[in-house]
Amino acid sequence: MFNFMNKKPTAQTESPEQKAALDTAVDIVLLGYQVGDSSIAMMVTGLERSGNQLTLDLRLPPESDPETIQKELGQLLQPHGIQTIHMNVRIPAPMKGAGSSLPKAMPKTTNAMHSQSNPGAKTNDNAVNAEPPITKPAPTQASLSAHPRIRHIIVVASGKGGVGKSTTTVNIALALQKLGNRVGVLDADIYGPSMPAMLGVDGVKPELENEQFVPINAHGLAMLSIGSLLGSDNTPVAWRGPKATGALMQLYNQTNWPQLDYLVIDMPPGTGDIQLTLAQRIPVTGAVIVTTPQHIALLDAQKGIEMFNKTNIPVLGVVENMALHTCSNCNHTEAIFGTGGGEKIAEQYQVPLLGQLPLASAIRAQVDKGEPSVLVDDDFASYYLSIAKNIETNINKFAKPADDKRIF
């Protein structure tokens, strides 16, 4: 899985490019296929491929159906060229006594609505007096315990794409690190992961230790991204919501994060499944909203703030990106996308304006090379350091109580 397992040499008729493409396709299918609430990739203990035949050693949870799994994996992998799947399966025995007391037939039930509409009809007293079924409410931020090794989790979000959110995330994380903090980065943009390339570790895959990912060291940051697992080719991640959110939770839960002051999460644009799953299952200290002064971008940023308000995630502030552009030839400064947008939305929602960033080709060029501005350009670094200091000013009042008794 994810090339962590040694794979036997494939048929000599395959070119290196074909082999890499097929191996990546297998990795993607395994990561996206779920058994219960987990990806089957986490259950793979051995993987070998010889031409169009794939052999998997699997440790499946109890009550799994290997025949169905083999059939469904075969259907998913056949379009990529895998014709035969061999599965060596281990399924733990159920706990002693489990299921022995279960009734073989469901008890009789009554139609309560029928009784109400027919007062003379006979009723089952036990059914009438039965307690209503127990319903479990969706988790909320208030009910989530803090991660035992992470002090603060910050999400960087935007209502729309194209506002420089990922570039801002990378530089804010490095700025927080420059202030003396231990910082990690989680790339939650499942469909468009960009952190590996921006941090100069594109193509580097994390190690697996005790069935947990070991974060990649990227300029001193502990980084993990779905892009680090899938390789650097152009294969799209075409997953429906449940598979994407499942991948996010595995990246968060099944990673051996070191002791961190901050985990900065780069969110996908919009307000969809991934954002809602994160709000219900990851203990977030606060959110940073990235926008541009453009009217359309501000409308979408407002939706992002409203979503965080409804899910009880504090908004730490707004970052206005691409605020001003200075011409490299004549030094004329112009507000290409308008003025005052960040200030207006910050005032409207009574949150701080954390900072304003310039529209500069150098910032783009630096992050494209995997050398973000905070590392290589003191002039631009000062903007991000100012934002990081503003984040640190108020964040402690939003911190979640630490759960020192939790054991992983």
Side-chain angles (χ1 to χ4, degrees):
M1 69 185 193
F2 319 129
N3 292 328
F4 294 130
M5 306 298 174
N6 293 325
K7 298 179 181 178
K8 287 184 176 180
T10 55
Q12 295 298 319
T13 55
E14 283 185 344
S15 68
E17 292 79 10
Q18 290 172 326
K19 177 184 180 301
L22 184 48
D23 286 347
T24 299
V26 170
D27 291 344
I28 292 174
V29 169
L30 293 179
L31 184 63
Y33 185 86
Q34 288 188 290
V35 178
D37 294 329
S38 300
S39 167
I40 199 172
M42 304 307 300
M43 305 170 193
V44 176
T45 59
L47 185 153
E48 297 174 358
R49 184 174 70 83
S50 178
N52 60 9
Q53 297 191 36
L54 180 68
T55 301
L56 296 174
D57 297 333
L58 296 168
R59 184 177 178 83
L60 298 175
E63 301 181 1
S64 299
D65 184 351
E67 292 185 4
T68 299
I69 293 172
Q70 184 178 29
K71 179 181 177 181
E72 291 178 351
L73 283 177
Q75 292 173 344
L76 293 171
L77 287 168
Q78 189 174 17
H80 301 288
I82 298 296
Q83 301 299 323
T84 306
I85 297 180
H86 306 285
M87 289 177 25
N88 302 317
V89 177
R90 293 178 62 192
I91 299 179
M95 295 179 61
K96 187 176 181 180
S100 59
S101 59
L102 293 178
K104 294 184 178 180
M106 294 296 291
K108 294 181 179 180
T109 60
T110 59
N111 188 337
M113 293 301 295
H114 177 76
S115 300
Q116 292 175 6
S117 59
N118 297 277
K122 293 183 179 181
T123 60
N124 184 322
D125 291 338
N126 292 332
V128 172
N129 296 324
E131 295 182 2
I134 297 174
T135 57
K136 185 178 180 180
T140 62
Q141 279 292 311
S143 67
L144 299 176
S145 299
H147 192 287
R149 296 190 299 275
I150 302 174
R151 185 180 173 196
H152 298 299
I153 296 179
I154 297 175
V155 297
V156 182
S158 63
K160 69 187 298 293
V163 299
K165 170 185 54 62
S166 295
T167 300
T168 303
T169 299
V170 166
N171 280 293
I172 286 178
L174 289 167
L176 288 168
Q177 184 187 61
K178 255 194 172 180
L179 295 178
N181 298 293
R182 296 162 297 183
V183 183
V185 175
L186 173 59
D187 189 355
D189 194 348
I190 302 298
Y191 299 110
S194 55
M195 290 294 106
M198 289 185 170
L199 286 168
V201 290
D202 197 17
V204 179
K205 294 197 173 186
E207 296 180 359
L208 197 64
E209 186 177 280
N210 297 325
E211 298 185 359
Q212 286 196 313
F213 295 115
V214 178
I216 296 168
N217 187 328
H219 302 300
L221 302 175
M223 191 281 300
L224 193 62
S225 166
I226 194 72
S228 304
L229 305 176
L230 302 182
S232 56
D233 65 358
N234 296 322
T235 304
V237 179
W239 293 342
R240 296 188 185 275
K243 291 190 183 298
T245 55
L248 167 63
M249 293 312 302
Q250 285 173 4
L251 291 176
Y252 173 74
N253 286 321
Q254 295 177 319
T255 297
N256 187 18
W257 297 106
Q259 202 73 30
L260 297 175
D261 296 305
Y262 294 94
L263 177 64
V264 184
I265 301 181
D266 182 39
M267 297 296 294
T271 54
D273 289 339
I274 291 178
Q275 286 83 351
L276 293 175
T277 295
L278 177 140
Q280 292 181 342
R281 300 176 65 182
I282 295 180
V284 179
T285 305
V288 173
I289 303 296
V290 180
T291 185
T292 65
Q294 186 182 10
H295 177 65
I296 299 300
L298 292 171
L299 292 177
D300 290 326
Q302 288 176 319
K303 295 175 184 176
I305 294 177
E306 290 287 356
M307 185 203 69
F308 288 122
N309 287 341
K310 291 182 186 301
T311 54
N312 297 316
I313 294 178
V315 176
L316 302 176
V318 176
V319 173
E320 185 183 71
N321 196 19
M322 308 180 193
L324 293 171
H325 171 67
T326 301
C327 178
S328 58
N329 290 324
C330 65
N331 290 325
H332 172 68
T333 299
E334 184 177 4
I336 294 177
F337 293 107
T339 60
E343 295 173 350
K344 181 179 178 181
I345 195 171
E347 181 179 355
Q348 177 183 351
Y349 287 95
Q350 297 182 342
V351 296
L353 178 63
L354 298 173
Q356 295 172 299
L357 298 169
L359 174 62
S361 61
I363 295 177
R364 186 270 311 158
Q366 289 156 2
V367 82
D368 280 353
K369 292 193 298 183
E371 299 174 350
S373 303
V374 170
L375 297 177
V376 298
D377 193 315
D378 291 339
D379 291 336
F380 292 133
S382 63
Y383 290 100
Y384 296 105
L385 285 168
S386 176
I387 292 172
K389 291 175 182 177
N390 288 335
I391 289 173
E392 288 210 298
T393 299
N394 296 315
I395 195 167
N396 283 329
K397 67 183 181 182
F398 300 114
K400 294 184 179 294
D403 184 5
D404 296 328
K405 297 180 181 179
R406 182 175 174 182
I407 299 175
F408 274 80

